[in-house]
Amino acid sequence: MEITSANYHLLSPGSTPRIAESAQVESKQVSPSHDSSQATQGSDSTPNDPFLKVYTGNYRSGAVDDPEKSARLDSILNRLSKNEQAALIDNNTLLLDDKFLQLAEELSDDELRQFVAISSALQTAPLVGGDQSSRAYSGTQQVENLVNSLSGMDSATRSRVLDKAEGYAEKVVKAPPSQPTYAAQDIWNYMSAAATANDLFNFNTVISKSDDINATLDQLEQFDETQQKQLLGVLRRDIELGSTLMDQLEERDSAAQNAILNYMTELDISRKELVKYDPLGKTSSVLDFDNNGYSVVVGMMEDTVSLLENYHFDDEQLQQMGEQLQQMDRSDQRAYLAISKNGLETLLGDVARAGKQIDMSQHQAVYETIDGLRQDDQVRELVFRSRMGEESIHDGRRFYEQKSLGEANHDVAEMVRFLTADAWLTEQVDDSSADQVQTTRLTHKLLEMGAEQRDQLIQDLNHLGQEEHPMAELSDEALQEVYGSFFDRTTTIAHVDDLNELVAAEAETRPELRESFWQATELAGERVDQLLQVLEHNPPAISEQVIQGLAEQKDLMQADERTRVEVEKDLNKLLNYFSEEHSHHEKLDYLSRAFN
């Protein structure tokens, strides 16, 4: 009866061999042979099978009827103490597999003892890992992975790996095999032990995934011990992602490294769950229903590394970003990353087009614009809410219609693009009525809108500013030419008190005069509501002359023939005039000379 590589057989009194299923085994006692001090080794034949030998640990036994294989295993076990023999039998389902036997024969005595210690420590389940769909953990499977990994290494690499793994194994609180209970102390003991097993589990996973373990270890050793443990968590999820993160953090200031790694570790060890999205958008949920979703949290890790790979931030900027993210809740973190990613793409373009990492020291104004947006609480709230549909209230709680995942991501990107474009224009275009609180005014109004109305408005406005070149590459003149219509509207919306009145006034304006209408309302600035009253309470013959006259003045400003101060002075006179009672003829006469 030969033991397979996956399992070894167990013997119970009076039974035939069977596959191991339980950790607690009542084995047939076999008198020892060769060296009676090796209590875990069986030797004598059984009456039914003179070649059968049984190997008994503390809670698992294995039997083999191949004399050659038994001799090889005896030789390996004789190099270990009694406790080490029991541990090897208990924890290694590949005990009688040729791959393990060959590996053990190649290991020195010290390395074999290291293997046993590591195998024992791997029986303690960690807190991390297996969190996408199941938290099932198999210590024996981890040992199989270790055997497979070590078998494929040269002796120098193997020794290096065992030394590293042993260091992590020494910190693990060994969890004895027992039935789990739900007593508070038992739960605390389990959690405490599991926390000590994270580093070894991560390391074992990394060496099983890595195509070049020496290169991975070389990279890791550029960091201190605490940072190495944090990086192992990222590497466990994705070797390439972890390697890219190490590339970007090497030779950085330790404070910057720690800020990013502390944030990444918080994401790595956080509780995650599998979230199903409604593809039809017919489900209502709380706003943050998927904050702990596996794909969301892992996606945040990927987006963070992508930012570091695509843009070179200096140490101070990197530290600031990591520390800001650590201080935010998950909703704000998601919005912060979305603003960073989509905002930088709006101003600097697709990094793939640039073909290289973009040095942010050459784009200080861009960095300040994006950082101002992502640090704004109201902006983050608006961006985060953009991923959801209409709001409703049930039993005092707010619920939001779920959008499909694709629609949600699209609408978030569109909102960030809109806010970024307006913020950049506010900073770069001198000759406008926009001011430093324009973003605050816009976000406040957009948050008051229903989701459908808001999404449509953002889509319509973004279409006005489409341009294949990144905004930061455009001159002031080009910005005005490409984004003038966009900025006239956003500035007007920011200043107007009654958005519905503004929409109604545009609808009442002849289509051929609508661009002039927006030029006029932008020029009015904070007095736009007074201008709307003039347009509403006067017939087309007068209101159209007002619109055309103001639009012409704005054209003169852009041609540097008049200054904004001069035009605003005339505008204020006009608004003051129309606030008084005058006849129709008097108004027409005034307009004929208002801007001369």
Side-chain angles (χ1 to χ4, degrees), residues 110 168 247 260 287 294 325 327 348 408 468 523 554 584:
D110 286 341
Y168 294 132
D247 285 340
I260 295 297
L287 192 59
Y294 180 88
L325 284 164
Q327 294 165 5
L348 298 175
E468 62 179 275
L523 189 61
K554 183 160 184 178
H584 181 79

Side-chain angles (χ1 to χ4, degrees), residues 242-496:
S243 179
T244 301
L245 178 59
M246 290 190 289
D247 285 340
Q248 300 310 315
L249 293 181
E250 282 179 359
E251 300 181 1
R252 291 303 198 111
D253 179 80
S254 61
Q257 292 174 334
N258 290 335
I260 295 297
L261 289 175
N262 289 341
Y263 161 67
M264 292 289 283
T265 299
E266 184 272 320
L267 294 178
D268 176 46
I269 66 176
S270 64
R271 179 180 63 85
K272 305 171 190 67
E273 55 197 30
L274 193 62
V275 175
K276 293 184 178 180
Y277 294 89
D278 179 3
L280 301 178
K282 302 296 183 182
T283 303
S284 290
S285 305
V286 294
L287 192 59
D288 58 355
F289 78 100
D290 61 344
N291 269 2
N292 294 320
Y294 180 88
S295 61
V296 168
V297 177
V298 174
M300 292 170 67
M301 297 176 71
E302 293 170 347
D303 285 346
T304 301
V305 174
S306 179
L307 282 171
L308 304 191
E309 182 180 21
N310 292 336
Y311 306 95
H312 181 79
F313 303 98
D314 64 32
D315 288 341
E316 183 178 352
Q317 292 169 341
L318 206 59
Q319 179 180 350
Q320 180 190 50
M321 183 164 67
E323 290 176 348
Q324 287 172 348
L325 284 164
Q326 289 177 65
Q327 294 165 5
M328 295 177 181
D329 64 19
R330 183 72 77 239
S331 300
D332 277 335
Q333 289 175 343
R334 294 174 68 181
Y336 184 102
L337 291 173
I339 295 166
S340 301
K341 177 179 181 293
N342 295 293
L344 288 171
E345 287 179 1
T346 298
L347 297 183
L348 298 175
D350 186 358
V351 175
R353 187 177 73 90
K356 61 180 181 179
Q357 188 182 55
I358 296 176
D359 186 355
M360 293 306 296
S361 68
Q362 305 298 314
H363 301 281
Q364 186 62 30
V366 168
Y367 179 83
E368 290 174 357
T369 296
I370 299 304
D371 197 48
L373 288 171
R374 67 191 185 184
Q375 290 197 58
D376 188 310
D377 294 349
Q378 193 168 259
V379 169
R380 292 197 305 271
E381 180 184 356
L382 176 60
V383 169
F384 189 66
R385 194 182 292 186
S386 298
R387 43 187 281 284
M388 303 294 280
E390 295 294 342
E391 177 187 293
S392 58
I393 299 178
H394 302 283
D395 297 328
R397 297 186 66 194
R398 296 181 186 274
F399 291 85
Y400 301 82
E401 292 178 0
Q402 282 190 30
K403 298 177 181 177
S404 69
L405 189 57
E407 183 184 9
N409 292 335
H410 171 270
D411 289 346
V412 166
E414 285 292 291
M415 180 59 74
V416 173
R417 181 182 163 214
F418 165 80
L419 292 169
T420 302
D422 181 77
W424 182 252
L425 292 167
T426 299
E427 291 294 332
Q428 300 299 314
V429 177
D430 294 329
D431 202 3
S432 80
S433 61
D435 52 37
Q436 295 304 311
V437 296
Q438 172 140 321
T439 295
T440 301
R441 289 171 169 168
L442 277 175
T443 53
H444 178 73
K445 287 183 170 64
L446 291 170
L447 283 168
E448 290 182 330
M449 290 183 181
E452 186 175 346
Q453 180 189 20
R454 180 177 62 234
D455 293 343
Q456 187 61 55
L457 175 63
I458 296 304
Q459 178 178 308
D460 292 343
L461 290 171
N462 279 345
H463 283 164
L464 295 173
Q466 287 185 341
E467 168 61 34
E468 62 179 275
H469 298 292
M471 289 188 74
E473 293 182 2
L474 299 179
S475 65
D476 290 350
E477 182 179 350
L479 280 174
Q480 186 62 52
E481 180 179 347
V482 175
Y483 288 93
S485 295
F486 170 92
F487 199 37
D488 285 343
R489 287 160 171 79
T490 61
T491 304
T492 298
I493 292 170
H495 283 121
V496 74

Side-chain angles (χ1 to χ4, degrees), residues 27 77 120 231 336 473 506 560:
S27 300
L77 290 171
S120 297
L231 286 163
Y336 184 102
E473 293 182 2
E506 185 202 24
D560 292 330

